[in-house]
Amino acid sequence: MSNSAIRLLERAARLWPERVYVEEEGGSATYAALLARARTIGAALLGDRRPVVVYLPKSIDALAVFFGAMCAGRPYAPVDAHIPVARLEKIAASLEPAYIVTNEALLPNLAGADLGAAEPVLLSALEGAEPNEAGVDAAIGAVIDTDPIYVMYTSGSTGTPKGVTIPHRGILDYADWVADTFAFDTDTVMANQAPFYFDNSTFDIYGTLRCGGKLLLTPETLFLFPLKLPEYLEEHGVTSIFWVPTVMINVANAGALEGRALPRLKNVAFCGEVMPNTQLNIWRRALPHCQYANLYGPTEITDVCCYYKVDRPFADHESLPIGKACGNMRVRILTDDGREAAVGETGELCVLGSGVALGYWNNPEQTARAFVPDPRSPWPERMYRTGDLARWGEDGLIYFLGRKDSQIKLKGNRIELGEIEAAAMCVPGVENACALFDEPHERIVLFTEGGGGLSLRKMNLELKKYIPQYMLPGKLVCMDKLPHTANDKIDRVTLRGTLKEEEPC
Ligand code: AMP
C-alpha cells in the first residue's frame, strides 16, 4: 500500500516514462521529466515538515512544485496567483509555511508583505539546487498515508480563510476511484478547467496520473469565450472533462454545441454547484454518446464523496440526484435531533471515509465543530458535517436541497458572506456591514452602515485589497444605520425584503 501520492508519479514514470503527462500552451512534460524535476525541487526543499505555499499561475511549474513538496515530505498549499496580498498574509499567519515558492513576475508582490517566518523563494533558484537522491528517498519514506498532502484555503465566515488539510490516503483512494469509475486509460485526454487552488483540479491531476493519460492545462482565458471551447476539445482530442456547471451552462446557452459531434469526448462530469437540467439537456441532445455524471463534494472531502451517472432522461424542472457514496466513502443524512432521516425527510449530509479531511490547519475550534465523532460507529470514526441539506429519494439516491447557513456558490465559487462583511469593515468609513446573495440577479449585495461617499467601483477597489475578485459585490447600498432585530442583530430579513422589490433583469 502506498504511503504518499508521489508513488503515483513514480509508478507512472516507471510504466510510461516518455508519455506526455501534462501539456500547456507552449510546453509539455513527460512523466519521467516531471518526476525528475520534482526530485530536484524536493532536494532543495528538504528540512522540516512545514508546508510550502505555491504562489504561481496554473502551469507545469506549479505541478512540479506540488510534487517537489511531496518529495521533501511537506504538504503543499496552492494559492491564486491573483490573491490579494492581505489574504495571502492571513494564509501565511494560519499556515506558518516554511517557503512561498513563486516566480520572477509575482515576487515583487511579496515585497513588504508580513509573511511571518515564511521565506519567499524563486522556483528557478530551487531548480538550480544540488540533487540529493538519498535525502529525497528518506523524506518520501518517512511519510505515512495519514500525513497531509495539501492544504487548500476556502472562504471563512469570520473573514479568515480556512485551511482544509487533506491526507495522502484521500488522494490515493480518490485517484483509484476516478480511474475505475470513468474507465480512464492511457488514451484519456483531460481538459482541465478548475484552478489548482480549487479541489476539483485533483480529479484532473491525479485521475490522469493514475492511468497514464494526458492532462491539458486549458488556457484560462478560453473559458471567457464559450463558443471556442468545443473547438478546443475537438482539436485536442479531449476524451474527458470535469467542469463546474457555470461553464457548462455558458457553453449550452451560447449555442456552442450546435453542429459539433465531438466523437472522442466520452465523459462529461461536473461538480461544485447545482447543474440545471435545462442546460444539461442541451448537452445531452447535442452529444448523446457521452456519459454525464453529477459529482458532489466539499473541499473538506478529497474532492468528491457522492456521484450520479446520469442514466435516464430528466425533465427541465426535475432535480438531478447527487447519487450515492463513492467507494471509499459513506454518507449519512441526519436530522436536527441526530436521527437518520427517513426517505423524503430533510437532514444534514454527513460524510465518513478515507477522503475526509484531517481538519482545518491550525484551527482546532473550527475543526472540532465540523469534524465530529460519529455516534453510531462502534469504533472511533470522524464524520464531516457538510452544512448541506439533502434527502434520500424513493430511488435510493441522494438529492441536494441547499445550505443550512449563509455559505453561497456564485459561478462555482464557494463564498462565506461573512468574509465579505469582514473585508467591508476594513474599509475606512464603514462601521457595519451585511452581505446578502441576490439569487435572481446572481450577485452579492453589500449593505453598509457609513461609507456613504463610496461608489460601488470605489468600494470594490478597497475590497479587492482583502478578498478575491469573485467575491466582490455587484451592488452597494450605504445606509446611515443598518436595521437591527430586537436582540440587536443585523435584521437580515428586512434587508432581504428590499431585494425582492427589484425585478430580476
Ligand atoms: P467547495 O468546497 O468549493 O467544493 O464547495 C462545496 C459546496 O458546493 C458543497 O458543500 C455544496 O453546497 C456545493 N456543491 C458541490 N457539488 C454540488 C453538486 N453536484 N450539486 C449541488 N451543490 C454542490
Side-chain angles (χ1 to χ4, degrees), residues 33-356:
L34 197 73
L35 179 61
R37 255 189 107 180
R39 288 183 66 91
T40 307
I41 295 167
L45 294 175
L46 286 172
D48 55 33
R49 311 201 53 199
R50 284 178 298 152
V52 174
V53 170
V54 186
Y55 177 45
L56 289 169
K58 188 198 281 188
S59 55
I60 298 174
D61 284 354
L63 273 182
V65 181
F66 297 172
F67 290 108
M70 283 182 230
C71 287
R74 297 179 187 269
Y76 63 88
V79 296
D80 183 2
H82 302 288
I83 192 171
V85 173
R87 199 164 200 256
L88 185 56
E89 287 177 338
K90 282 187 182 170
I91 289 177
S94 142
L95 189 67
E96 298 175 334
Y99 299 107
I100 299 185
V101 179
T102 190
N103 61 20
E104 282 79 359
L106 293 171
L107 185 66
N109 298 344
L110 301 180
D114 178 4
L115 303 170
E119 189 190 332
V121 283
L122 287 173
L123 172 58
S124 52
L126 297 179
E127 300 209 77
E130 283 296 304
N132 182 346
E133 303 301 344
V136 165
D137 285 341
I140 296 173
V143 170
I144 55 173
D145 64 350
T146 49
D147 286 346
I149 173 171
Y150 66 74
V151 185
M152 254 182 221
Y153 275 83
T154 184
S155 184
S157 57
T158 57
T160 302
K162 295 184 289 194
V164 179
T165 308
I166 293 291
H168 283 268
R169 174 55 42 208
I171 283 293
L172 288 162
D173 288 350
Y174 186 50
D176 284 349
W177 180 81
V178 171
D180 288 353
T181 307
F182 297 96
F184 283 175
D185 57 22
T186 48
D187 291 331
T188 295
V189 180
M190 175 86 81
N192 157 266
Q193 172 265 319
F196 283 175
Y197 55 87
F198 181 29
D199 67 341
N200 275 4
S201 60
T202 60
F203 181 102
D204 307 349
I205 295 171
Y206 296 100
T208 43
L209 174 55
R210 178 70 182 77
C211 67
K214 184 159 77 178
L215 173 64
L216 298 177
L217 302 185
T218 311
E220 287 171 62
T221 48
L222 216 56
F223 291 96
L224 303 173
F225 303 97
L227 279 173
K228 296 197 170 163
L229 283 167
E231 189 181 313
Y232 175 88
L233 300 181
E234 204 152 51
E235 271 174 14
H236 290 79
V238 171
T239 63
S240 275
I241 56 174
F242 182 47
W243 290 354
V244 280
T246 292
V247 172
M248 296 198 39
I249 292 167
N250 291 344
V251 169
N253 289 349
L257 296 169
E258 282 162 27
R260 295 267 169 204
L262 301 184
R264 293 210 58 196
L265 188 64
K266 283 191 222 151
N267 286 301
V268 177
F270 39 89
C271 177
E273 59 189 340
V274 173
M275 177 75 212
N277 281 319
T278 308
Q279 282 78 14
L280 178 59
N281 285 336
I282 294 174
W283 277 79
R284 294 183 73 187
R285 278 194 297 272
L287 308 174
H289 61 285
C290 292
Q291 167 71 68
Y292 295 85
N294 186 17
L295 274 54
Y296 159 91
T299 308
E300 286 83 346
I301 303 300
T302 312
D303 198 22
V304 164
C305 53
C306 290
Y307 74 112
Y308 172 64
K309 283 190 176 176
V310 183
D311 57 1
R312 68 168 178 88
F314 279 84
D316 287 358
H317 65 273
E318 273 186 277
S319 326
L320 194 65
I322 54 171
K324 55 182 185 177
C326 307
N328 56 322
M329 305 300 293
R330 238 184 357 258
V331 285
R332 298 231 162 98
I333 300 179
L334 298 181
T335 59
D336 282 347
D337 53 3
R339 275 184 304 109
E340 297 268 2
V343 171
E345 198 178 4
T346 301
E348 182 176 7
L349 196 65
C350 297
V351 189
L352 303 103
S354 66
V356 174

Side-chain angles (χ1 to χ4, degrees), residues 406-423:
S406 63
Q407 181 184 301
I408 63 153
K409 276 285 169 129
L410 181 57
K411 297 191 168 49
N413 295 299
R414 170 168 160 179
I415 301 172
E416 289 284 358
L417 294 171
E419 187 164 356
I420 300 167
E421 291 164 2

